[in-house]
Amino acid sequence: MTTTEQTTSREHADLVESLRRHRYFLRHTVRDLTDEQARQRTTVSELTLGGLIKHVTFTERQWVDFIRNGPRAMAGDVDGWEDAFRMGPDETLARLLDAYQRLADDTDAFAATADLDTDQPLPEAPWFEPGARWSTRRVLLHVIAETSQHAGHADIIRESLDGSKTMG
């Protein structure tokens, strides 16, 4: 095995492990909740614990699709994006967590062997720099950051809900 192959293997493993760790914190935060608790708002924000699980699933799926299929994977309507933050009355936390786990398994398998230097042009949008391209590496780092940020949101919501904390 060459030095480049060893470095790449370590980098892949580090990215996957970091994403798994932050997913764990998020999943751990919603442990032992009822569906009603998962839908409950506990702050002035519209965010709920079930909505966060649904959102990170949607977001991770969209970004992995972007790596695989390019900017057309990012197309969608605003209503669909807003709905990705809401746990609907017919949805259960268990099903949302199951969908999240299936997606995580797919992402991890893909990320473990993907060419981290492959890039795609970001779609035109006011929140993206014009003409920017993101590599697989950059997208995975973004998904890690997104998951971590929402795990922190979830911790605050859960503590407000029943005093439980992810850590401590």
Side-chain angles (χ1 to χ4, degrees):
M1 185 179 294
T2 68
T3 303
T4 302
E5 288 169 333
Q6 290 173 340
T7 303
T8 301
S9 295
R10 273 191 223 122
E11 184 176 9
H12 284 86
D14 287 348
L15 289 167
V16 170
E17 181 53 35
S18 184
L19 184 52
R20 284 180 181 162
R21 183 175 351 105
H22 292 288
R23 283 192 205 113
Y24 167 80
F25 290 138
L26 181 56
R27 292 178 65 93
H28 183 70
T29 302
V30 301
R31 71 197 178 285
D32 303 324
L33 291 180
T34 66
D35 293 336
E36 292 72 29
Q37 289 172 311
R39 283 188 196 88
Q40 188 175 341
R41 287 179 48 206
T42 64
T43 68
V44 296
S45 168
E46 292 290 323
L47 297 176
T48 67
L49 292 166
L52 284 172
I53 297 293
K54 188 174 176 181
H55 171 69
V56 295
T57 303
F58 173 85
T59 301
E60 184 173 320
R61 179 179 297 114
Q62 190 174 46
W63 279 109
V64 171
D65 285 349
F66 167 79
I67 295 168
R68 290 175 166 152
N69 302 308
R72 72 178 177 271
M74 302 299 279
D77 61 56
V78 173
D79 292 334
W81 183 82
E82 289 175 358
D83 185 51
F85 277 99
R86 293 187 194 103
M87 182 176 167
D90 59 333
E91 294 176 307
T92 67
L93 182 58
R95 284 190 297 225
L96 292 175
L97 287 168
D98 185 54
Y100 189 37
Q101 185 60 56
R102 286 192 315 272
L103 174 67
D105 292 343
D106 178 63
T107 299
D108 292 353
F110 172 75
T113 60
D115 179 350
L116 298 176
D117 293 320
T118 296
D119 64 8
Q120 297 282 1
L122 290 172
E124 289 187 30
W127 47 87
F128 294 134
E129 180 181 334
R133 298 180 69 90
W134 278 15
S135 67
T136 300
R137 177 184 297 100
R138 175 68 183 94
V139 168
L140 291 171
L141 290 168
H142 179 74
V143 171
I144 292 166
E146 178 92 7
T147 304
S148 177
Q149 179 179 16
H150 288 313
H153 293 147
D155 198 36
I156 291 166
I157 294 168
R158 179 65 190 258
E159 188 172 356
S160 298
L161 178 69
D162 65 4
S164 294
K165 298 177 186 176
T166 300
M167 304 296 286

